[in-house]
Amino acid sequence: MNQLLKTAMEAAEKLRPDQQDDIARMILDLASDTSEAVPPSHLADVLEGLAQAERGELASPAEIEAAFRRFG
């Protein structure tokens, strides 16, 4: 294990158990041969977002700012 990964693991040890689980799942997914860029459960939404972007249906800066405010 290289130093960067060791540092990341030390940082992860300080997180809540549910956050540690999320990180572990991401690492296992990235390390597996079957890792997918987009999970099948999200594919339809991603494709719809891409289609909207191709049509020029993009959020305005004000809409983006409002969305970020909702999530803190």
Side-chain angles (χ1 to χ4, degrees):
M1 181 183 310
N2 71 25
Q3 188 57 46
L4 180 58
L5 187 54
K6 286 179 188 177
T7 302
M9 291 297 110
E10 290 168 3
E13 288 177 341
K14 298 173 186 169
L15 299 173
R16 295 186 324 256
D18 62 312
Q19 293 172 311
Q20 291 181 17
D21 287 346
D22 290 340
I23 291 170
R25 283 187 201 93
M26 286 186 268
I27 290 171
L28 290 169
D29 185 49
L30 290 170
S32 76
D33 289 338
T34 60
S35 178
E36 298 180 23
V38 177
S41 60
H42 297 172
L43 185 58
D45 291 331
V46 170
L47 293 174
E48 175 57 27
L50 291 171
Q52 289 172 349
E54 285 181 12
R55 294 190 300 264
E57 299 171 0
L58 305 174
S60 70
E63 291 170 320
I64 294 169
E65 186 177 325
F68 278 114
R69 276 196 306 271
R70 283 195 305 267
F71 296 107

